[in-house]
């Protein structure tokens, strides 16, 4: 059992590089340090990918979520690829997030905070350093910010850090432009792609819900009562990734010398929603003259389940930045350890500062989540409780294909909702690996995909993702659960 040594400021001298003195799990070695340094120098000279004001906006929205006044939908690819930086792929990914969020607004009757695993989700922790491809042992693919997908291109290359930056910039630029040009407008019903639903009854049930939600939003717009969530022409969307590669994150960590936050968000990507007007005091409290450090590679970053050691480099880096942060919480997390990680990452007890992304597996959640909820409740930390029903439910078929079952995913989500409710707590979000494309990587859902169908369009280089329809299925199922 871990001894709890409570110290709100375990290492007062934080700097963007203080992580370097700690043990770095999943570290990346480069053969040419001079080349690495010149790439990092280049990154340090480039503009931020997101604005500090936008990060502050997300902090306020996540504070709302921690109080149960908003629900977080965080989703996207397991690993983005450079080749998916195309207009079609970006539109598909954006479309599924927007559509799921609308279904969730309808079902949960609460504002949705959309956080995409996008615009920088390029680094992957892998369980094995090598893999066997066509009988040959090669280094594992670790995400395109580190090495290449092709088995012949698996050596680490620091130029990829700069390439990842420019691909992120290109994706975020297109997302901003789509969102400021009516892409989210519900008036385009052809965007709802329901022909893939096998069962006529389910299809007409979905169509009925979509018509009803389109009617309600139309009505809100007609009477001028729209909020940011119902005015689909100006919605909020934030970016996120696992901050695995601390070299990259450090180079994009920027100091905001105490200046007054501007009143406007300044970007069409983010418009403050009416729901956090009650949070103006919080804004003021954070606008002191102190220097603050922001990770400007994304609005939100998280620590993976494999790199969350209390004394490790990742926790050290994360504790010093202003961004709201996530921590993956798997079955190996001891409740005392959870309390200690919160004490380190959230020394000022800021509501919504930490999102706990639980990922146990459908059959393990009952033996872990209740103890984790009790542990957090014994503290003054106000977290966002999010459920990642994907990472604890990965299996391999008899043919050796990595997959996830839609039923296990739904089971973990519903168990999470029920455990929270039973314990007088509340689930505040979900975290999903999905794509807007019609891939065949997970089994089940209203397209009734079977293991034999997986080979039809299996595209992932990493974990299996829910496809467009399976993702919508999840949103409809959660919504129906709440509306019952
Ligand atoms: C991920 O979210 O892509 C991931 C690797 O998850 P975890 O850290 O929970 O295994
Ligand atoms: Mn994954």
């Amino acid at each position: 059992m871990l001894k709890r040594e409570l110290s709100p400021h375990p290492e007062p001298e934080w700097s963007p590089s203080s992580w370097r003195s700690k043990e770095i799990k999943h570290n990346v070695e480069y053969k040419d340090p001079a080349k690495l340094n010149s790439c990092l120098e280049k990154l340090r000279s480039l503009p931020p990918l997101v604005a500090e004001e936008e990060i502050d906006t997300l902090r306020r929205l996540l504070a709302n979520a921690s109080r149960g006044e908003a629900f977080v939908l965080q989703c996207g690819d397991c690993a983005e690829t450079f080749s998916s930086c195309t207009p079609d792929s970006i539109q598909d990914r954006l479309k599924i997030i927007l559509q799921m969020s609308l279904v969730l607004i309808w079902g949960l009757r609460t504002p949705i905070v959309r956080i995409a695993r996008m615009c920088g989700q390029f680094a992957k922790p892998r369980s094995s350093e090598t893999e066997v491809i066509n009988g040959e042992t090669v280094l594992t693919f670790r995400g395109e910010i580190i090495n290449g997908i092709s088995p012949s291109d698996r050596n680490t290359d620091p130029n990829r850090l700069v390439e990842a930056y420019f691909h992120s910039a290109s994706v975020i630029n297109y997302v901003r432009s789509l969102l400021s040009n009516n892409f989210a407008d519900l008036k385009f019903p052809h965007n709802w792609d329901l022909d893939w639903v096998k069962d006529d009854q389910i299809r007409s049930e979905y169509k009925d819900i979509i018509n009803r939600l389109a009617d309600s939003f139309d009505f809100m717009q007609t009477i001028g009562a729209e909020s940011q969530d119902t005015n689909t022409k100006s919605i909020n969307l934030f970016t996120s990734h696992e901050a695995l590669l601390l070299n990259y994150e450090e180079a994009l960590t920027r100091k905001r010398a105490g200046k007054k936050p501007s009143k406007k968000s300044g970007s069409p990507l983010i418009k403050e929603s009416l729901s956090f007007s009650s949070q103006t005091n919080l804004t003021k409290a954070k606008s002191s003259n102190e220097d603050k450090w922001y990770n400007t590679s994304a609005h939100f970053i998280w620590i993976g389940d494999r790199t969350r050691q209390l004394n490790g480099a990742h926790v050290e880096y994360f504790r010093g930045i202003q961004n709201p942060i996530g921590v993956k919480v798997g079955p190996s997390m001891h409740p005392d350890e959870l309390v200690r990680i919160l004490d380190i990452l959230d020394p000022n007890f800021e509501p919504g500062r930490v999102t706990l992304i639980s990922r146990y597996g459908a059959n393990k959640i009952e033996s872990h989540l209740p103890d984790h909820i009790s542990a957090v409740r014994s503290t003054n930390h106000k977290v966002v409780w999010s459920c990642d029903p994907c990472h604890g439910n990965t299996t391999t078929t008899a043919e050796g294909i990595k997959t996830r079952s839609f039923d296990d995913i739904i089971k973990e989500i519903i168990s999470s909702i029920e455990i929270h409710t039973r314990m007088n707590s509340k689930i505040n979000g979900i975290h999903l690996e999905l794509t807007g494309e019609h891939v065949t990587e997970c089994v089940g859902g209203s397209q009734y995909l079977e293991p034999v169908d997986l080979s039809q369009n299996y595209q992932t280089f990493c974990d299996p993702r829910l496809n467009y329809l399976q993702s919508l299925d999840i949103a409809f199922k959660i919504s129906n659960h709440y509306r019952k």
Side-chain angles (χ1 to χ4, degrees):
M1 169 133 158
L2 279 163
K3 227 172 75 211
R4 189 167 173 209
E5 295 148 20
L6 260 187
S7 161
H9 301 287
E11 300 248 4
E13 326 72 40
W14 181 91
S15 79
S17 61
S18 54
W19 59 272
R20 291 178 181 276
S21 64
K22 306 277 182 172
E23 190 190 352
I24 310 161
K25 291 276 188 214
H26 291 261
N27 193 21
V28 179
E29 307 280 354
Y30 294 97
K31 283 197 186 112
D32 184 346
K35 197 163 154 197
L36 170 65
N37 280 337
S38 77
C39 292
L40 294 176
E41 194 51 48
K42 174 72 183 165
L43 284 177
R44 276 194 285 274
S45 72
L46 289 165
L49 290 171
V50 299
E52 293 141 355
E53 289 82 357
E54 295 167 356
I55 294 169
D56 285 341
T57 298
L58 179 59
R59 282 166 61 160
R60 293 193 293 276
L61 291 173
L62 290 177
N64 290 346
S66 73
R67 286 187 289 268
E69 294 162 13
F71 189 85
V72 181
L73 170 64
Q74 185 173 12
C75 56
D77 273 302
C78 176
E80 283 180 281
T81 57
F82 295 166
S83 64
S84 67
C85 182
T86 64
D88 284 353
S89 167
I90 296 166
Q91 286 185 32
D92 282 348
R93 287 183 274 162
L94 196 54
K95 173 173 140 180
I96 186 60
I97 299 176
L98 295 176
Q99 292 187 347
M100 287 179 79
S101 69
L102 292 174
V103 174
L104 290 172
I105 292 169
W106 176 82
L108 276 71
R109 296 177 179 269
T110 194
I112 301 294
V113 184
R114 302 167 190 86
I115 308 181
R117 282 176 68 116
M118 198 168 162
C119 316
Q121 173 53 17
F122 290 120
K124 297 307 300 172
R126 302 307 301 267
S127 37
S128 168
E129 273 189 26
T130 56
E131 63 184 331
V132 178
I133 297 182
N134 298 333
E136 236 191 274
T137 303
V138 293
L139 292 170
T140 334
F141 171 56
R142 299 174 72 181
E144 282 197 283
I145 194 172
I146 298 172
N147 60 2
I149 295 169
S150 158
S152 60
D153 189 19
R154 293 284 168 89
N155 288 331
T156 60
D157 177 357
N159 285 321
R160 289 180 169 277
L161 294 159
V162 179
E163 266 195 272
Y165 170 93
F166 283 112
H167 281 93
S168 302
S170 179
V171 177
I172 200 166
N173 178 57
Y174 192 49
V175 169
R176 287 182 196 273
S177 122
L178 286 169
L179 289 182
S180 58
N181 285 292
N182 290 348
F183 182 79
D185 197 332
L186 252 184
K187 299 216 171 55
F188 302 111
H190 59 267
N191 281 342
W192 295 85
D193 202 352
L194 297 177
D195 296 346
W196 296 74
V197 181
K198 285 255 164 77
D199 187 313
D200 292 344
Q201 202 189 322
I202 296 178
R203 192 181 320 103
S204 73
E205 195 189 308
Y206 284 4
K207 280 191 172 157
D208 184 48
I209 292 173
I210 290 164
N211 288 338
R212 277 194 276 157
L213 74 91
D215 271 358
S216 340
F217 290 159
D218 226 27
F219 175 71
M220 298 292 273
Q221 282 177 3
T222 311
I223 64 167
E226 69 224 357
S227 73
Q228 193 205 9
D229 281 286
T230 52
N231 179 357
T232 49
K233 286 183 186 147
S234 63
I235 58 127
N236 68 39
L237 183 92
F238 301 90
T239 64
S240 72
H241 61 258
E242 176 175 348
L244 181 73
L245 212 52
L246 296 176
N247 267 323
Y248 178 81
E249 306 301 339
E250 179 192 329
L252 287 162
T253 305
R254 307 288 162 84
K255 181 157 75 174
R256 173 155 78 176
K259 65 173 183 187
K260 287 204 170 80
S262 71
K263 285 203 178 108
K264 282 189 199 155
S265 73
S267 153
L269 181 65
I270 316 293
K271 293 237 170 82
E272 294 205 345
S273 95
L274 299 175
S275 59
F276 62 76
S277 51
S278 61
Q279 289 301 295
T280 27
N281 289 342
L282 184 66
T283 319
K284 282 188 191 132
K286 299 293 167 202
S287 61
S288 74
N289 280 332
E290 265 172 66
D291 287 338
K292 297 191 188 300
W293 293 92
Y294 287 76
N295 178 312
T296 63
S297 74
H299 299 109
F300 178 100
I301 52 176
W302 75 87
I303 312 181
D305 199 36
R306 284 166 254 200
T307 47
R308 57 170 171 71
Q309 297 72 24
L310 294 175
N311 204 24
H314 291 81
V315 169
E316 172 60 19
Y317 172 76
F318 272 71
R319 78 182 174 92
I321 52 164
Q322 293 297 306
N323 306 54
I325 56 184
V327 180
K328 290 290 197 96
V329 178
S332 64
M333 174 77 96
H334 190 284
D336 288 350
E337 194 185 3
L338 181 55
V339 169
R340 287 175 64 185
I341 208 169
L342 288 174
D343 288 341
I344 297 170
L345 295 175
D346 180 33
N348 300 321
F349 303 100
E350 189 190 315
R353 153 94 176 140
V354 178
T355 296
L356 293 179
I357 308 165
S358 68
R359 33 87 79 221
Y360 310 107
N363 297 328
K364 290 189 183 161
I365 183 167
E366 188 59 59
S367 36
H368 297 284
L369 182 58
D371 288 347
H372 288 158
I373 294 174
S374 301
V376 176
R377 189 173 277 159
S378 73
T379 71
N380 286 325
H381 299 289
K382 297 279 173 281
V383 303
V384 173
W385 279 108
S386 177
C387 169
D388 165 359
C390 294
H391 285 88
N393 291 308
T394 314
T395 55
T396 307
T397 65
E399 292 72 35
I401 304 171
K402 231 176 160 188
T403 189
R404 290 170 178 152
S405 140
F406 181 86
D407 290 348
D408 288 343
I409 289 174
I410 280 295
K411 194 171 156 206
E412 183 158 352
I413 296 173
I414 301 299
S415 298
S416 186
I417 297 172
E418 287 177 352
I419 292 169
H420 275 285
T421 309
R422 188 177 85 209
M423 295 187 67
N424 209 12
S425 170
K426 201 167 173 184
I427 182 175
N428 314 115
I430 46 165
H431 181 120
L432 298 162
E433 273 187 358
L434 54 79
T435 171
E437 287 163 47
H438 298 287
V439 298
T440 53
E441 297 168 7
C442 294
V443 293
S446 64
Q447 205 180 335
Y448 303 136
L449 286 180
E450 300 279 345
V452 289
D453 302 319
L454 293 179
S455 56
Q456 280 171 23
N457 192 16
Y458 194 93
Q459 305 235 337
T460 185
F461 296 103
C462 249
D463 286 340
R465 304 156 298 172
L466 294 159
N467 66 20
Y468 171 80
L469 190 58
Q470 290 166 330
S471 306
L472 271 189
D473 285 334
I474 299 270
F476 281 118
K477 282 229 180 313
I478 297 175
S479 287
N480 281 333
H481 183 85
Y482 276 97
R483 290 192 68 107
K484 262 190 229 151

